[in-house]
Amino acid sequence: MIITKNHRTAELIHHDYSLIPVIMRFGINFGFGDKTVEEVCQENQINLDFFLAIINAFHDNDYFTNQELNQFPLRLIVEYLLKSHKQYAEVKIPRIEKLIEKLTWDENDEMNKTLIRNFFSQYTQEVFEHLDFEENNIYPYITGIEAAYESGEISSSLASKIKEKTISDYGEEHSDIDSKLLDLKNILIKYLPHPKNEDVLSTLIAEVFRFESDLENHTTIENKILVPRVLEIEKKLLTKID
Amino acid sequence: MQGIKFIIGIKSFLLRSGLEGVINEFKGAELLASTDSIDALIKLIGQERYHFLIIDTEILVELHGQNLGDKSKVILVQNNNSRASGLPACTSVVYINDSKTEIVEKIGLATKAVSSKVYKEDSSALSEREQDVVRQIALGGSNKEIAGTLFISVHTVMTHRKNITKKLGIKTVSGLTVYAILNKIINIGDV
Ligand SMILES: [Fe+2]
Ligand SMILES: [Fe+2]
C-alpha cells in the first residue's frame, strides 16, 4: 500500500506498527484521533511530501529505489537522520540495555548477563563513535557543500575538503555497524541458555530485530541517497574550482 | 524462510484462508497441507515432515492427548486472553485480532529459531580443530599467532575461521568469545 496524505494517521499504525518510531521521530505525538496525515503534518510543521517519502520508504523498502527521496534538499534529509540518531541513543539502545538487565537464569546468572551486557556495550560504543563521526564530520560537510552549490560561493577550505574524498571513503566503508548485531541475534537465539523469564528474551530478540531493520533503512538513506547526491554536487563544484 | 514447511489445521474457513494467505506470502515457505478435519490432520502429523503446525484452540483441545507430535512445532491461533488451562505451551501464539504485521513477525520469529535448529542439525558441530581455533581467537590471538600455536599455516587458520563463521553465524571476535564461554571452550577468567 502506498501511504498518501489522505490516510488517517491511526490507520498507518494499524497497518504497519513498525512505523511508530518513524512517526515519533518526526515529533508527532499520539492522540491523533481521526486526523489525516496531511493534518498532523500541518499541525507539527512537517514537510508533508518529505514525511510521505520517508514513511513509504520504511513501509515498503522497494520504495527506496524509485528515487522519491531525491527531490528533497539534503539538509532536510540530514535533519531527519539526526533525529533518528537521537532516538537510537535515547530510546532504542537504552530499551535493549534494560531488557538485558532483566534477564535471569537459575544457573550462571551473573556470567550470562555479564557476557551479553559487555558484548552489547562494546557494540553500542562502536555505534556511538559512528554516529558522532557522522554528526561532527559527514553531516556538516554535506549541508556545507549543498549551501555552497546553491550560493555558488566555495570557500577554499571547502574546496580542499572536496579534494580529500571524504565522502567516497565514507560511502565505501559504511556498513560495518550491522555485523555485530547479526552476531548478537545468533547468540541470543542459538547459544544463550533458556532464561527463567523467556518473555523478556523474546521481547529482547524482537527489539534487536526492530533496531536492526530501522538501522538498515537509515544506512540505506545514507548510502543510496546522500552519498550519490553529494558525489554529484562535488563533481559539479570541482569543475568550477578548476 | 527457505524450505520451512507448514501444515494448517483450523476449523474456521475464514481463519484458515487468512493464514494460508500469510504463509503463501513468505518467500520460500511451503504449505504442505491445510485442512479443517481432525482425522486428516492426525494422518498428516504422522506422515509428513513438517516444521510448523498452525492450529486453533478447538483443534488443540481435540488433538490433546493424541498425536500432537512435537509441541515445539505448534503455532496456536486463539482468541485474545482465552488461553484454555491444562493445554501444553506452544512455541508461538497468534491472536485472532493481531494485525498482519504482528502475525508475520510472530511466525517469522518462530521460524528463525527453527531454521537455525534445522541448520544446526544439518551442519555438523565444530570439529575439534575448529574448537581449538575458536579458543585461540577468544584468547585474542591474531591469525599469525594462532597459526604458530597450532602448528598450521595462516591460510589454514583463515579457512577454519571462514567455516566457523558459516557454522555458527558469528563473525566478530567478541561474538566468538561469547560463544566460546557459553560453550565452555574457555573459562570466563581466561579472557
Ligand atoms: Fe547515521
Ligand atoms: Fe551511518
Side-chain angles (χ1 to χ4, degrees), chain B residues 146-190:
Chain B
I146 297 173
T149 316
L150 300 178
F151 303 104
I152 51 181
S153 72
V154 172
H155 180 78
T156 310
V157 175
M158 280 158 63
T159 310
H160 281 314
R161 286 187 91 132
K162 227 181 271 163
N163 292 336
I164 290 165
T165 295
K166 222 191 283 168
K167 282 185 182 175
L168 302 182
I170 302 182
K171 201 173 174 181
T172 63
V173 172
S174 45
L176 289 168
T177 308
V178 173
Y179 171 84
I181 296 168
L182 286 176
N183 287 278
K184 304 192 172 61
I185 295 174
I186 56 167
N187 285 321
I188 195 161
D190 297 339

Side-chain angles (χ1 to χ4, degrees), chain A residues 81 85 88 127 130-131 133-134 138-139 170 174-177 215 218-220 222-223:
Chain A
L81 294 173
H85 282 194
Y88 296 153
V127 171
H130 180 95
L131 303 184
F133 174 72
E134 288 178 339
I138 301 299
Y139 294 169
Y170 165 75
H174 184 222
S175 50
D176 272 343
I177 49 173
L215 213 53
H218 180 89
T219 306
T220 305
E222 290 172 340
N223 284 342

Side-chain angles (χ1 to χ4, degrees), chain A residues 83-98:
Chain A
K83 282 185 196 143
S84 310
H85 282 194
K86 192 164 181 278
Q87 198 185 46
Y88 296 153
E90 291 177 5
V91 182
K92 292 208 167 258
I93 290 175
R95 189 184 292 160
I96 291 174
E97 285 169 340
K98 267 184 219 140

Side-chain angles (χ1 to χ4, degrees), chain A residues 15 17 180 183 186 190 210, chain B residues 101-102 105 169 171-172 174:
Chain A
H15 189 68
Y17 69 80
K180 272 218 169 125
D183 283 10
N186 273 324
K190 295 168 76 175
R210 291 201 190 106
Chain B
T101 325
E102 280 170 316
E105 190 174 272
K171 201 173 174 181
T172 63
S174 45

Side-chain angles (χ1 to χ4, degrees), chain B residues 115-159:
Chain B
S115 58
S116 64
K117 214 196 271 170
V118 169
Y119 175 70
K120 207 174 173 184
E121 283 162 4
D122 290 349
S123 70
S124 47
L126 292 190
S127 70
E128 253 173 63
R129 207 46 169 164
E130 285 163 349
Q131 292 199 30
D132 292 338
V133 174
V134 168
R135 182 180 304 114
Q136 296 305 321
I137 294 172
L139 293 173
S142 65
N143 283 346
K144 213 174 153 190
E145 286 160 351
I146 297 173
T149 316
L150 300 178
F151 303 104
I152 51 181
S153 72
V154 172
H155 180 78
T156 310
V157 175
M158 280 158 63
T159 310

